[in-house]
Amino acid sequence: MSLLLGIIQALVVIMLAPFFAGLIHKVKQRIRGQKGISLFQFYRNLYKLIKKEVVLSKEASIVSSIAPYFYFLPHAILCFMLPFFYKNPPLGNSSNPVVILYLLSLPVFFMTLYALDQASSFGGLGSSREWFISSLSEPSAVLLFFSLCVYTGEPNLKGVFLKLSDELRSLLSEGSDHFSISIPFLILFALLVLALAENARIPFDNPETHLELTMVHEANILEASGKHLFLFEYGSYLRLTLFLSLMSMLLFPFIGDATLYPLAFALYLIKMLFLCLVVAFVESFNAKLRLFRVPNILSFAFVLSLLALVLSMEA
């Protein structure tokens, strides 16, 4: 039963990923005064893509045939490793920070490899920008995950979030004075910056444009079509959902067992809807930055992550 509930949790998160991405897009359109797309439009887009033929450049090698699958699969595997709302994910014991970081970096590597393999100028442009942003954001991610482990004394992220959940319950039921929100909230703000950077959102990139001089993520998949584009798009929705889910588990870390499964799932949905609104408002009221101003914001995330690590070591 425990294994089944863990698998259901992962599959639910995978199925909801396009909905969360569509909700952000819808809210942004409503803020701009537009009617907006249907909340299920991204599902329709994916359905259309999976039925279309794959067209590859004549310069492409076998790399272009396998890269889209290696972009999607690590994100799907991560869904089986994290306790989004149920405490026993199938691969939870493997959620070591190093493994998580590698699984988050691997899709970026294969996406940029795909872009370069197409032998187009846009592929080189997009891959260089993608790695420029990733090289600045990943050190912050390393500090962020290790500060969580140091703060809770747990070796993997499953244990981290379960301990945070137990501390929250203790605070709510007994009024424990051992629960500190300062470190998790420092990490939460740093994670918000990283989520925007790693998912090519404003102010780092604009996911709604194909303007040659500014696009980052879209330049890497400009040559993709059919099932390959389906895998890239679905993988990007999963990546956004994973980062938002990490934020939700820090915002209000309530993770239940089998008896609290429906309540924990309902709270997870509420937290995700709130975070989708936050991302939509952040994107709506900010402009895309010039590329060489990106390090200014990412350095802020690095300082927050470093401060959280120092405070965790002293706690």
Side-chain angles (χ1 to χ4, degrees):
M1 179 60 71
S2 177
L3 177 62
L4 178 62
L5 291 176
I7 293 174
I8 291 174
Q9 172 188 237
L11 294 178
V12 166
V13 172
I14 291 173
M15 291 175 61
L16 286 175
F19 174 80
F20 294 135
L23 176 62
I24 294 174
H25 192 72
K26 171 85 170 181
V27 173
K28 288 169 61 179
Q29 289 179 317
R30 296 297 295 172
I31 292 173
R32 294 195 293 257
Q34 299 171 326
K35 180 180 178 181
I37 61 170
S38 165
L39 291 175
F40 302 100
Q41 182 61 48
F42 284 12
Y43 291 100
R44 298 190 187 111
N45 294 345
L46 292 174
Y47 178 70
K48 291 177 183 177
L49 288 174
I50 202 169
K51 296 193 299 180
K52 290 183 179 293
E53 180 185 0
V54 174
V55 179
L56 288 174
S57 167
K58 64 179 181 180
E59 307 293 338
S61 67
I62 192 173
V63 171
S64 294
S65 298
I66 64 173
Y69 296 93
F70 280 95
Y71 182 82
F72 176 82
L73 286 175
H75 294 126
I77 292 172
L78 282 169
C79 293
F80 290 86
M81 298 176 69
L82 297 174
F84 302 101
F85 50 88
Y86 178 61
K87 68 176 184 178
N88 289 321
L91 303 177
N93 293 330
S94 302
S95 58
N96 183 280
V98 176
V99 176
I100 298 293
L101 288 166
Y102 269 108
L103 287 175
L104 286 173
S105 300
L106 193 63
V108 177
F109 170 75
F110 276 100
M111 180 178 67
T112 52
L113 201 62
Y114 179 92
L116 293 171
D117 194 55
Q118 301 300 307
S120 70
S121 57
F122 289 121
L125 178 147
S127 59
S128 64
R129 292 178 176 178
E130 188 76 43
W131 278 111
F132 173 71
I133 294 175
S134 294
S135 65
L136 294 172
S137 63
E138 287 177 4
S140 302
V142 172
L143 293 178
L144 186 148
F145 287 130
F146 278 101
S147 60
L148 277 173
C149 292
V150 172
Y151 173 65
T152 57
E154 296 291 336
N156 56 51
L157 292 191
K158 172 191 172 183
V160 165
F161 293 120
L162 288 180
K163 187 165 184 178
L164 289 176
S165 178
D166 291 340
E167 288 184 353
L168 178 63
R169 291 189 193 182
S170 176
L171 175 68
L172 295 176
S173 61
E174 304 172 6
S176 172
D177 58 354
H178 298 291
F179 184 75
S180 172
I181 64 171
S182 58
I183 296 174
F185 268 84
L186 278 176
I187 297 172
L188 179 63
F189 285 121
L191 190 56
L192 174 60
V193 177
L194 293 182
L196 296 174
E198 288 286 336
N199 289 279
R201 315 295 300 194
I202 293 174
F204 300 96
D205 188 20
N206 188 350
E208 300 178 23
T209 183
H210 286 80
L211 184 62
E212 294 88 347
L213 297 177
T214 62
M215 60 184 178
V216 179
H217 174 77
E218 293 297 327
N220 291 293
I221 61 174
L222 200 61
E223 303 292 332
S225 60
K227 292 180 181 178
H228 288 178
L229 186 55
F230 166 86
L231 292 168
F232 280 123
E233 292 289 355
Y234 208 150
S236 67
Y237 301 155
L238 279 177
R239 189 177 185 85
L240 177 62
T241 300
L242 286 167
F243 274 92
L244 293 180
S245 297
L246 288 171
M247 292 170 61
S248 75
M249 289 184 278
L250 286 172
L251 182 65
F252 191 81
F254 186 89
I255 300 169
D257 53 14
T259 58
L260 295 174
Y261 201 89
L263 176 61
F265 175 62
L267 287 173
Y268 170 75
L269 280 181
I270 293 172
K271 291 184 293 183
M272 290 295 287
L273 293 177
F274 170 74
L275 290 170
C276 286
L277 293 177
V278 170
V279 171
F281 275 92
V282 169
E283 291 195 53
S284 297
F285 294 102
N286 287 279
K288 184 185 180 301
L289 290 175
R290 291 177 56 198
L291 186 65
F292 292 107
R293 292 187 62 189
V294 165
N296 298 337
I297 298 183
L298 290 177
S299 62
F300 173 69
F302 180 82
V303 170
L304 288 180
S305 302
L306 182 61
L307 181 59
L309 180 61
V310 171
L311 293 176
S312 300
M313 296 174 67
E314 295 179 353

